[in-house]
Amino acid sequence: MNLDLVMNLAKEYAGNAIAGNTSIPANKKDLAVKTATDSLLDSFKGQLQGDNLSNLAGLFTGNSSSLTKSIQSSLVSALSQKVGINATLANTIASAIVPPLIDAVTKKVGGDIGGNILGKLGGLFGK
């Protein structure tokens, strides 16, 4: 999985969710975006290690609910602790970011995998 892709998507989705939320004080928005992006990237990195690979594989089999819950929980905690956002608002933000982010990552990575496989197969047959 390309972590730069995840980072860029995380920054985009976090920025959009946080910038449009009037409940977050203007002076905390940049910190909230950075905290969310860092938390999301750390969560994906954590899924790439150890026994968590089965959760990550669930992205491509339509079974990403445990991964979504885990990442959302980490994000809520990070926003609450580092930015001082209350848990209810942090949960609203996480819900606006994580599911569409996972969907985007799944489609992008799945498309890349499919494209690479098809390209390699085509190369075998001189296409």
Side-chain angles (χ1 to χ4, degrees):
M1 176 175 294
N2 183 338
L3 289 177
D4 287 336
L5 165 72
V6 174
M7 183 180 70
N8 290 334
L9 288 171
K11 193 179 295 184
E12 176 186 340
Y13 282 92
N16 290 341
I18 291 166
N21 193 314
T22 58
S23 297
I24 301 170
N27 65 338
K28 290 189 174 188
K29 288 191 183 209
D30 288 342
L31 177 60
V33 171
K34 181 177 179 358
T35 299
T37 302
D38 291 347
S39 174
L40 292 164
L41 191 57
D42 287 347
S43 290
F44 273 94
K45 283 181 184 176
Q47 295 300 321
L48 291 172
Q49 299 172 352
D51 294 336
N52 295 326
L53 287 177
S54 62
N55 285 342
L56 198 57
L59 287 174
F60 305 102
T61 60
N63 186 20
S64 62
S65 62
S66 63
L67 178 63
T68 301
K69 287 178 187 174
S70 172
I71 293 172
Q72 277 187 225
S73 176
S74 295
L75 180 54
V76 168
S77 179
L79 288 171
S80 295
Q81 293 173 6
K82 294 180 181 176
V83 184
I85 294 173
N86 71 53
T88 302
L89 178 56
N91 195 39
T92 299
I93 293 167
S95 295
I97 297 171
V98 176
L101 173 64
I102 288 178
D103 187 49
V105 168
T106 302
K107 287 178 181 170
K108 177 65 179 157
V109 172
D112 288 349
I113 291 169
N116 288 338
I117 290 171
L118 292 175
K120 288 177 182 176
L121 286 174
L124 289 174
F125 296 105
K127 303 273 180 196

